[in-house]
Amino acid sequence: MAPRVTTCPSCGTKNRVPVAAKGTPRCASCKAKLPWVVEATDGGLEAALGTGQLVLVDLWAPWCAPCRQVAPVLERLAARYAGRVKVVKVNVDHNPRTAARYDARSIPTLVLVRRGRTLKRIVGAQPEPVLTREVEQALAS
Ligand SMILES: [Zn+2]
């Protein structure tokens, strides 16, 4: 799994964000907390979930138009809740074990997870205010 390059919202520095890490990824230049969006596979899921942050698992596929609609919303949530929410994207076409684990019969399916425990499943491309409210509720729980 290749690290993803994320532009720091504070200073514009390009940073490599790891799929799994202890703590929160920070900008190498200004130390701001970075939006944490990663792509995980069946084999790397446990490591990707291994964070104290709330995890939003995005079960998606490239051919799924509603998944493409929700993708920029998830990017914005990751930026707004940098240091608090990690987005873990899993392509269900290539990762059937993760799709089965979260019962992703229709996509997008979004799953809010903390320390491996499922808090909430959200099926279908919900509007940004709905997803924001779900994230807020999960952060408060
Ligand atoms: Zn920065």
Side-chain angles (χ1 to χ4, degrees), residues 8 11 27 30:
C8 173
C11 74
C27 174
C30 76

Side-chain angles (χ1 to χ4, degrees), residues 42-57:
D42 278 348
L45 183 72
E46 287 305 328
L49 295 180
T51 168
Q53 292 189 29
L54 179 67
V55 178
L56 198 163
V57 180

Side-chain angles (χ1 to χ4, degrees), residues 8-13 15 27-32 34:
C8 173
S10 299
C11 74
T13 298
N15 289 267
C27 174
S29 176
C30 76
K31 309 299 179 202
L34 292 171

Side-chain angles (χ1 to χ4, degrees), residues 3-140:
R4 183 174 147 136
V5 175
T6 296
T7 302
C8 173
S10 299
C11 74
T13 298
K14 290 195 189 321
N15 289 267
R16 284 174 187 278
V17 175
V19 174
K22 288 202 191 302
T24 299
R26 286 176 184 270
C27 174
S29 176
C30 76
K31 309 299 179 202
K33 289 174 182 173
L34 292 171
W36 204 2
V37 182
V38 302
E39 290 267 356
T41 59
D42 278 348
L45 183 72
E46 287 305 328
L49 295 180
T51 168
Q53 292 189 29
L54 179 67
V55 178
L56 198 163
V57 180
D58 173 23
L59 301 153
W60 72 288
W63 46 264
C64 158
C67 297
R68 290 197 297 271
Q69 278 173 19
V70 87
V73 175
L74 300 184
E75 297 281 342
R76 286 197 290 275
L77 288 173
R80 190 181 310 157
Y81 297 102
R84 301 175 73 196
V85 176
K86 176 182 186 182
V87 174
V88 175
K89 300 173 72 75
V90 180
N91 181 331
V92 295
D93 285 351
H94 300 154
N95 300 285
R97 277 190 286 137
T98 303
R101 170 173 173 171
Y102 291 116
D103 195 20
R105 276 174 286 188
S106 102
I107 52 172
T109 291
L110 307 176
V111 189
L112 290 164
V113 180
R114 181 182 284 122
R115 300 191 188 282
R117 196 168 64 88
T118 298
L119 302 176
K120 181 91 187 216
R121 293 175 74 252
I122 305 159
V123 179
Q126 303 295 327
E128 187 159 355
V130 172
L131 294 179
T132 302
R133 194 165 63 234
E134 294 288 0
V135 166
E136 289 279 354
Q137 281 175 0
L139 285 170

